[in-house]
PDB file of all heavy atoms in Angstrom:
ATOM      1  N   GLY A  17     -79.619  40.305  35.053  1.00 87.00           N
ATOM      2  CA  GLY A  17     -80.266  41.380  35.799  1.00 87.00           C
ATOM      3  C   GLY A  17     -81.645  40.984  36.286  1.00 87.00           C
ATOM      4  O   GLY A  17     -82.023  41.257  37.439  1.00 87.00           O
ATOM      5  N   GLU A  18     -82.433  40.328  35.428  1.00 87.00           N
ATOM      6  CA  GLU A  18     -83.782  39.924  35.814  1.00 87.00           C
ATOM      7  C   GLU A  18     -83.755  38.895  36.935  1.00 87.00           C
ATOM      8  O   GLU A  18     -84.568  38.953  37.869  1.00 87.00           O
ATOM      9  CB  GLU A  18     -84.516  39.374  34.594  1.00 87.00           C
ATOM     10  CG  GLU A  18     -84.873  40.452  33.570  1.00 87.00           C
ATOM     11  CD  GLU A  18     -85.516  39.882  32.317  1.00 87.00           C
ATOM     12  OE1 GLU A  18     -85.474  38.640  32.153  1.00 87.00           O
ATOM     13  OE2 GLU A  18     -86.059  40.664  31.514  1.00 87.00           O
ATOM     14  N   VAL A  19     -82.834  37.944  36.849  1.00 84.00           N
ATOM     15  CA  VAL A  19     -82.727  36.930  37.907  1.00 84.00           C
ATOM     16  C   VAL A  19     -82.296  37.577  39.212  1.00 84.00           C
ATOM     17  O   VAL A  19     -82.832  37.278  40.285  1.00 84.00           O
ATOM     18  CB  VAL A  19     -81.739  35.818  37.491  1.00 84.00           C
ATOM     19  CG1 VAL A  19     -81.417  34.909  38.670  1.00 84.00           C
ATOM     20  CG2 VAL A  19     -82.308  35.001  36.344  1.00 84.00           C
ATOM     21  N   ALA A  20     -81.315  38.487  39.150  1.00 85.00           N
ATOM     22  CA  ALA A  20     -80.816  39.133  40.369  1.00 85.00           C
ATOM     23  C   ALA A  20     -81.909  39.942  41.057  1.00 85.00           C
ATOM     24  O   ALA A  20     -81.960  40.031  42.293  1.00 85.00           O
ATOM     25  CB  ALA A  20     -79.628  40.023  40.041  1.00 85.00           C
ATOM     26  N   LEU A  21     -82.824  40.534  40.285  1.00 86.00           N
ATOM     27  CA  LEU A  21     -83.873  41.386  40.851  1.00 86.00           C
ATOM     28  C   LEU A  21     -85.168  40.638  41.154  1.00 86.00           C
ATOM     29  O   LEU A  21     -86.123  41.228  41.648  1.00 86.00           O
ATOM     30  CB  LEU A  21     -84.165  42.543  39.890  1.00 86.00           C
ATOM     31  CG  LEU A  21     -83.031  43.560  39.683  1.00 86.00           C
ATOM     32  CD1 LEU A  21     -83.407  44.549  38.581  1.00 86.00           C
ATOM     33  CD2 LEU A  21     -82.725  44.297  40.979  1.00 86.00           C
ATOM     34  N   SER A  22     -85.207  39.348  40.826  1.00 87.00           N
ATOM     35  CA  SER A  22     -86.449  38.597  41.006  1.00 87.00           C
ATOM     36  C   SER A  22     -86.818  38.399  42.465  1.00 87.00           C
ATOM     37  O   SER A  22     -87.985  38.166  42.796  1.00 87.00           O
ATOM     38  CB  SER A  22     -86.342  37.238  40.313  1.00 87.00           C
ATOM     39  OG  SER A  22     -85.298  36.452  40.905  1.00 87.00           O
ATOM     40  N   ARG A  23     -85.825  38.473  43.377  1.00 87.00           N
ATOM     41  CA  ARG A  23     -86.092  38.357  44.811  1.00 87.00           C
ATOM     42  C   ARG A  23     -84.911  38.953  45.577  1.00 87.00           C
ATOM     43  O   ARG A  23     -83.861  39.199  44.999  1.00 87.00           O
ATOM     44  CB  ARG A  23     -86.292  36.898  45.221  1.00 87.00           C
ATOM     45  CG  ARG A  23     -85.100  35.993  44.975  1.00 87.00           C
ATOM     46  CD  ARG A  23     -85.350  34.591  45.495  1.00 87.00           C
ATOM     47  NE  ARG A  23     -84.264  33.688  45.166  1.00 87.00           N
ATOM     48  CZ  ARG A  23     -83.131  33.576  45.864  1.00 87.00           C
ATOM     49  NH1 ARG A  23     -82.934  34.355  46.935  1.00 87.00           N
ATOM     50  NH2 ARG A  23     -82.190  32.718  45.508  1.00 87.00           N
ATOM     51  N   SER A  24     -85.107  39.176  46.866  1.00 89.00           N
ATOM     52  CA  SER A  24     -84.012  39.680  47.693  1.00 89.00           C
ATOM     53  C   SER A  24     -82.934  38.611  47.828  1.00 89.00           C
ATOM     54  O   SER A  24     -83.229  37.421  47.994  1.00 89.00           O
ATOM     55  CB  SER A  24     -84.534  40.075  49.083  1.00 89.00           C
ATOM     56  OG  SER A  24     -85.448  41.143  48.976  1.00 89.00           O
ATOM     57  N   ARG A  25     -81.674  39.057  47.767  1.00 88.00           N
ATOM     58  CA  ARG A  25     -80.555  38.124  47.816  1.00 88.00           C
ATOM     59  C   ARG A  25     -79.470  38.666  48.733  1.00 88.00           C
ATOM     60  O   ARG A  25     -79.391  39.870  48.979  1.00 88.00           O
ATOM     61  CB  ARG A  25     -79.978  37.919  46.403  1.00 88.00           C
ATOM     62  CG  ARG A  25     -80.959  37.330  45.409  1.00 88.00           C
ATOM     63  CD  ARG A  25     -80.402  37.307  44.000  1.00 88.00           C
ATOM     64  NE  ARG A  25     -81.400  36.795  43.064  1.00 88.00           N
ATOM     65  CZ  ARG A  25     -81.573  35.493  42.820  1.00 88.00           C
ATOM     66  NH1 ARG A  25     -80.808  34.608  43.447  1.00 88.00           N
ATOM     67  NH2 ARG A  25     -82.495  35.099  41.971  1.00 88.00           N
ATOM     68  N   PRO A  26     -78.578  37.779  49.184  1.00 90.00           N
ATOM     69  CA  PRO A  26     -77.415  38.245  49.952  1.00 90.00           C
ATOM     70  C   PRO A  26     -76.511  39.105  49.073  1.00 90.00           C
ATOM     71  O   PRO A  26     -76.509  38.986  47.842  1.00 90.00           O
ATOM     72  CB  PRO A  26     -76.716  36.938  50.363  1.00 90.00           C
ATOM     73  CG  PRO A  26     -77.748  35.871  50.230  1.00 90.00           C
ATOM     74  CD  PRO A  26     -78.657  36.309  49.132  1.00 90.00           C
ATOM     75  N   ALA A  27     -75.719  39.963  49.701  1.00 90.00           N
ATOM     76  CA  ALA A  27     -74.856  40.894  48.966  1.00 90.00           C
ATOM     77  C   ALA A  27     -73.880  40.166  48.055  1.00 90.00           C
ATOM     78  O   ALA A  27     -73.591  40.631  46.947  1.00 90.00           O
ATOM     79  CB  ALA A  27     -74.097  41.778  49.958  1.00 90.00           C
ATOM     80  N   ASP A  28     -73.367  38.992  48.492  1.00 90.00           N
ATOM     81  CA  ASP A  28     -72.380  38.298  47.668  1.00 90.00           C
ATOM     82  C   ASP A  28     -72.995  37.776  46.373  1.00 90.00           C
ATOM     83  O   ASP A  28     -72.320  37.700  45.339  1.00 90.00           O
ATOM     84  CB  ASP A  28     -71.714  37.158  48.446  1.00 90.00           C
ATOM     85  CG  ASP A  28     -72.712  36.130  48.951  1.00 90.00           C
ATOM     86  OD1 ASP A  28     -73.909  36.457  49.022  1.00 90.00           O
ATOM     87  OD2 ASP A  28     -72.281  35.004  49.271  1.00 90.00           O
ATOM     88  N   GLU A  29     -74.296  37.438  46.376  1.00 88.00           N
ATOM     89  CA  GLU A  29     -74.951  36.990  45.145  1.00 88.00           C
ATOM     90  C   GLU A  29     -75.133  38.159  44.174  1.00 88.00           C
ATOM     91  O   GLU A  29     -74.991  37.995  42.957  1.00 88.00           O
ATOM     92  CB  GLU A  29     -76.294  36.344  45.458  1.00 88.00           C
ATOM     93  CG  GLU A  29     -76.176  34.993  46.162  1.00 88.00           C
ATOM     94  CD  GLU A  29     -77.514  34.284  46.271  1.00 88.00           C
ATOM     95  OE1 GLU A  29     -78.449  34.661  45.531  1.00 88.00           O
ATOM     96  OE2 GLU A  29     -77.622  33.350  47.090  1.00 88.00           O
ATOM     97  N   TYR A  30     -75.461  39.342  44.710  1.00 89.00           N
ATOM     98  CA  TYR A  30     -75.550  40.523  43.840  1.00 89.00           C
ATOM     99  C   TYR A  30     -74.183  40.846  43.245  1.00 89.00           C
ATOM    100  O   TYR A  30     -74.067  41.193  42.066  1.00 89.00           O
ATOM    101  CB  TYR A  30     -76.061  41.733  44.622  1.00 89.00           C
ATOM    102  CG  TYR A  30     -77.533  41.687  44.938  1.00 89.00           C
ATOM    103  CD1 TYR A  30     -77.983  41.706  46.253  1.00 89.00           C
ATOM    104  CD2 TYR A  30     -78.483  41.643  43.921  1.00 89.00           C
ATOM    105  CE1 TYR A  30     -79.338  41.681  46.547  1.00 89.00           C
ATOM    106  CE2 TYR A  30     -79.833  41.606  44.202  1.00 89.00           C
ATOM    107  CZ  TYR A  30     -80.263  41.621  45.522  1.00 89.00           C
ATOM    108  OH  TYR A  30     -81.606  41.590  45.808  1.00 89.00           O
ATOM    109  N   ARG A  31     -73.142  40.736  44.064  1.00 88.00           N
ATOM    110  CA  ARG A  31     -71.783  41.005  43.577  1.00 88.00           C
ATOM    111  C   ARG A  31     -71.405  40.032  42.459  1.00 88.00           C
ATOM    112  O   ARG A  31     -70.858  40.432  41.426  1.00 88.00           O
ATOM    113  CB  ARG A  31     -70.777  40.913  44.724  1.00 88.00           C
ATOM    114  CG  ARG A  31     -69.316  41.090  44.283  1.00 88.00           C
ATOM    115  CD  ARG A  31     -68.367  41.028  45.457  1.00 88.00           C
ATOM    116  NE  ARG A  31     -68.556  42.192  46.312  1.00 88.00           N
ATOM    117  CZ  ARG A  31     -67.983  43.369  46.092  1.00 88.00           C
ATOM    118  NH1 ARG A  31     -67.192  43.543  45.052  1.00 88.00           N
ATOM    119  NH2 ARG A  31     -68.189  44.385  46.904  1.00 88.00           N
ATOM    120  N   GLU A  32     -71.713  38.761  42.642  1.00 88.00           N
ATOM    121  CA  GLU A  32     -71.400  37.756  41.620  1.00 88.00           C
ATOM    122  C   GLU A  32     -72.134  38.051  40.319  1.00 88.00           C
ATOM    123  O   GLU A  32     -71.564  37.948  39.227  1.00 88.00           O
ATOM    124  CB  GLU A  32     -71.772  36.366  42.134  1.00 88.00           C
ATOM    125  CG  GLU A  32     -71.439  35.241  41.167  1.00 88.00           C
ATOM    126  CD  GLU A  32     -71.801  33.872  41.699  1.00 88.00           C
ATOM    127  OE1 GLU A  32     -72.237  33.779  42.870  1.00 88.00           O
ATOM    128  OE2 GLU A  32     -71.659  32.886  40.945  1.00 88.00           O
ATOM    129  N   ALA A  33     -73.422  38.438  40.439  1.00 87.00           N
ATOM    130  CA  ALA A  33     -74.200  38.764  39.246  1.00 87.00           C
ATOM    131  C   ALA A  33     -73.612  39.961  38.517  1.00 87.00           C
ATOM    132  O   ALA A  33     -73.494  39.982  37.285  1.00 87.00           O
ATOM    133  CB  ALA A  33     -75.656  39.031  39.619  1.00 87.00           C
TER     134      ALA A  33
END
Side-chain angles (χ1 to χ4, degrees):
E18 289 176 348
V19 169
L21 294 173
S22 63
R23 61 176 175 83
S24 296
R25 299 173 183 274
D28 59 341
E29 290 189 18
Y30 286 120
R31 176 178 292 276
E32 182 179 355

